[in-house]
Amino acid sequence: MARARLTVTTPDGSWAGRVTRSHPDAHIRVRTASVGEPATLVAEVTAPSLAPVIAAISEADGVRSLDILDRHGDTAVCRLTVADAGPLAAAAAAGAPPEYPFTVADGTIEWELTATRSALADLADELSERGLEFTVAEMRPGDDGEPLLTPRQRTVVRTAVDSGYYEVPRGCSLATVAEQADLSKSTCSEILRRAEKRLLTRYLDGGQP
């Protein structure tokens, strides 16, 4: 698993994009959503001048209904029914839903999510296929205990460590490690390099091996 932080740019045809670009002081904080046709969202709309923003959302193409559930100060909690879930539909299709709440402001969506790397790759494909621009602001290992190394990598690395391969000076050669692991020298070298890359990447990203 991996944790990622994405910034998704809403398209020109998106109601949320149009409203927040037209009202740059407004923020839409999506508490929860049901992705379907139509989709239902519960969101907090915050703006110094709230009434024009609520009116703009209610009148926007793609918004079928808007009900104000609560209002306090410059924030209104709204239930929205919309024709298209947009980026949320892409996330659902990829099996990589974002964490709630998330914010839409000035035409961009800030997402944090935890998913397998394959699901994140599928999400990138889904967003691209729908013409949605995005940037990955951060990617780091997840905290669910998923092993960093494969069982084979762990076995070979353990053999290398126990044999003194990483000592200075080396306590054994690569050929010795390969022989003890019952591998060819080239295969052993490749396994160690891949494992070392994973371990170093985790370390440089601030995680623990």
Side-chain angles (χ1 to χ4, degrees), residues 6-169:
L6 276 67
T7 299
V8 182
T9 301
T10 58
D12 293 337
S14 162
W15 65 268
R18 289 198 308 274
V19 170
T20 56
R21 289 188 183 99
S22 299
H23 300 270
D25 292 334
H27 293 74
I28 301 173
R29 185 171 180 263
V30 180
R31 288 183 176 180
T32 186
S34 174
V35 179
E37 297 181 1
T40 303
L41 293 77
V42 175
E44 297 174 4
V45 182
T46 302
S49 298
L50 188 58
V53 177
I54 295 295
I57 295 174
S58 182
E59 296 168 3
D61 290 340
V63 176
R64 297 186 179 180
S65 67
L66 183 153
D67 297 311
I68 297 178
L69 305 179
D70 189 20
R71 182 168 180 171
H72 47 279
D74 59 1
T75 299
V77 180
C78 305
R79 180 187 291 116
L80 301 165
T81 302
V82 298
D84 183 6
L88 281 174
E99 297 175 2
Y100 294 95
F102 63 81
T103 300
V104 186
D106 198 20
T108 61
I109 305 171
E110 297 292 335
W111 275 351
E112 289 196 8
L113 50 93
T114 301
T116 64
R117 293 187 180 274
S118 62
L120 291 175
D122 289 343
L123 174 59
D125 290 341
E126 287 284 345
L127 291 172
S128 297
E129 288 175 6
R130 296 166 190 257
L132 297 168
E133 297 181 0
F134 67 95
T135 58
V136 180
E138 183 180 9
M139 178 79 76
R140 61 187 185 275
D143 55 5
D144 66 342
E146 181 185 17
L148 179 61
L149 302 181
T150 67
R152 190 185 195 195
Q153 288 172 336
R154 181 173 291 276
T155 297
V156 176
V157 169
R158 173 54 63 189
T159 299
V161 170
D162 291 345
S163 300
Y165 179 72
Y166 291 107
E167 298 292 335
V168 180

